Amino acid sequence: MKIRVLGSAAAEAMPALWCECSTCKYALQHGGKDLRRRTCYLLDDDTLVDYGPDIFWQVTTFKVDLLAIRRIVVTHSHVDHLNPVDLLWRRPGFSVVSKTVKLFGNEAVTGSIISTMQRESGIDQLDKIALENQILEAGKPVQDGDLQILPLPANHAPREKPLFYVFTRNKRSLLIANDTGFPSQEAWDLLATEKLDAAILDCCGGAHPVHGKNRHGHMGADTNIEFRQHMLELGIIQENTPVFANHFSHNALCTHEQLCQYLEPHGIQVAYDGLAFEI
Ligand SMILES: [Zn+2]
Ligand SMILES: [Zn+2]
Ligand SMILES: [Zn+2]
């Protein structure tokens, strides 16, 4: 499985457009790995994980062929992960679209898309924008073609049922754990039987002295270290399994370099926009 990180920021992106903090000033000036779009992933050439407000910039910068996309798997309905407006242009009269795309996510994800459709265009059926919907529930894996999707209950957004995922294809498995705080016992019980070939962890709080220890809603660098250690203890990963931190907030006040210095000694790599790897 080929994985491309299309975005590595939390909700406000980096730099946050109106922010006066030192990290945002640095990111604007230096660019490079400190310029972070909202979190999104491409798996092989056919699967998007999340579809946030930077999708135009991500598709054009990283040359993603959207015509090859067969499915979009959404973690939750927060606007940094789901931008329904850029699905509405799939409807007749706005784009030439012949291929249906499967949409996987919780009920809040479907609800957000439908309510935006109703408000913007008066239509209320996903097939009008050539989407085929499948609601996912934690602990109930689905098989779509040769891709298995295992949804896990996230410690995040209590008003809906947010999910994070293990994706398995050709006997290779990837964990994408954002957005979530340190998982519940229920989630660990589901994860415990998995053998991962790579893992990506929510690191919203970065290496900040307070936010780095976040356990609820999001994690930080210290929680990521604990997460990796727990996966090792449970035999979910091995010492050499690639583990990445991702979904960084500028409020953590960390540059990419500072995150690397903090996390790499603990066996965790720092993701950035455009990062590509294969498992
Ligand atoms: Zn987020
Ligand atoms: Zn800032
Ligand atoms: Zn969120």
Side-chain angles (χ1 to χ4, degrees):
M1 194 191 309
K2 289 182 294 177
I3 297 103
R4 192 101 199 250
V5 175
L6 301 179
S8 58
E12 310 91 325
M14 201 183 303
L17 292 176
W18 296 92
C19 186
E20 298 170 15
C21 87
S22 57
T23 306
C24 289
K25 286 179 189 159
Y26 182 90
L28 189 59
Q29 201 175 0
H30 291 258
K33 292 177 182 173
D34 285 291
L35 203 65
R36 298 186 185 276
R37 303 162 182 85
R38 266 57 71 98
T39 295
C40 180
Y41 307 92
L42 175 67
L43 309 185
D44 291 323
D45 297 320
D46 61 2
T47 304
L48 282 172
V49 181
D50 286 341
Y51 185 88
D54 292 318
I55 194 69
F56 174 83
W57 192 20
Q58 289 159 327
V59 164
T60 50
T61 302
F62 301 116
K63 300 196 173 10
V64 179
D65 179 9
L66 284 187
L67 301 188
I69 295 296
R70 294 183 55 186
R71 61 186 76 78
I72 304 173
V73 185
V74 183
T75 54
H76 62 305
S77 72
H78 282 172
V79 292
D80 55 323
H81 296 261
L82 176 65
N83 169 26
V85 169
D86 277 328
L87 290 170
L88 297 193
W89 314 123
R90 289 172 55 78
R91 69 191 192 274
F94 291 87
S95 303
V96 179
V97 173
S98 62
K99 295 175 187 163
T100 296
V101 168
K102 284 196 175 177
L103 174 83
F104 294 93
N106 65 18
E107 284 177 353
V109 166
T110 311
S112 171
I113 296 171
I114 289 175
S115 65
T116 307
M117 283 168 67
Q118 284 174 324
R119 189 185 69 231
E120 298 293 326
S121 65
I123 54 176
D124 59 1
Q125 287 168 312
L126 291 177
D127 60 0
K128 296 284 195 298
I129 54 171
L131 289 182
E132 186 187 322
N133 185 38
Q134 184 165 350
I135 303 282
L136 298 181
E137 282 180 55
K140 294 188 179 166
V142 298
Q143 186 79 33
D144 186 42
D146 62 351
L147 184 72
Q148 191 189 67
I149 307 167
L150 170 63
L152 301 159
N155 172 358
H156 188 74
R159 281 186 290 183
E160 60 182 275
K161 291 181 178 168
L163 299 167
F164 65 104
Y165 297 104
V166 175
F167 297 95
T168 303
R169 176 177 262 167
N170 298 330
K171 297 185 178 162
R172 308 297 282 172
S173 292
L174 167 74
L175 169 69
I176 296 183
N178 64 258
D179 292 354
T180 184
F182 197 77
S184 62
Q185 190 56 48
E186 180 194 355
W188 281 114
D189 289 346
L190 290 164
L191 255 182
T193 54
E194 297 296 314
K195 297 278 181 263
L196 299 177
D197 299 289
I200 302 174
L201 309 180
D202 181 310
C203 195
C204 200
H208 186 277
V210 176
H211 308 319
K213 295 176 173 48
N214 282 352
R215 301 185 73 75
H216 301 293
H218 290 287
M219 294 184 280
D222 295 306
T223 335
N224 281 186
I225 293 165
E226 185 184 340
F227 195 122
R228 177 178 176 273
Q229 192 57 36
H230 200 51
M231 288 195 292
L232 281 169
E233 287 162 8
L234 294 175
I236 299 168
I237 61 168
Q238 304 301 310
E239 199 59 57
N240 61 355
T241 305
V243 177
F244 298 88
N246 201 36
H247 191 282
F248 300 103
S249 169
H250 64 110
N251 288 315
L253 303 176
C254 295
T255 63
H256 181 82
E257 192 53 41
Q258 288 166 337
L259 289 163
C260 290
Q261 282 172 15
Y262 197 88
L263 283 164
E264 283 176 358
H266 298 280
I268 299 176
Q269 301 173 62
V270 179
Y272 54 88
D273 293 19
L275 170 70
F277 62 97
E278 196 165 348
I279 58 174

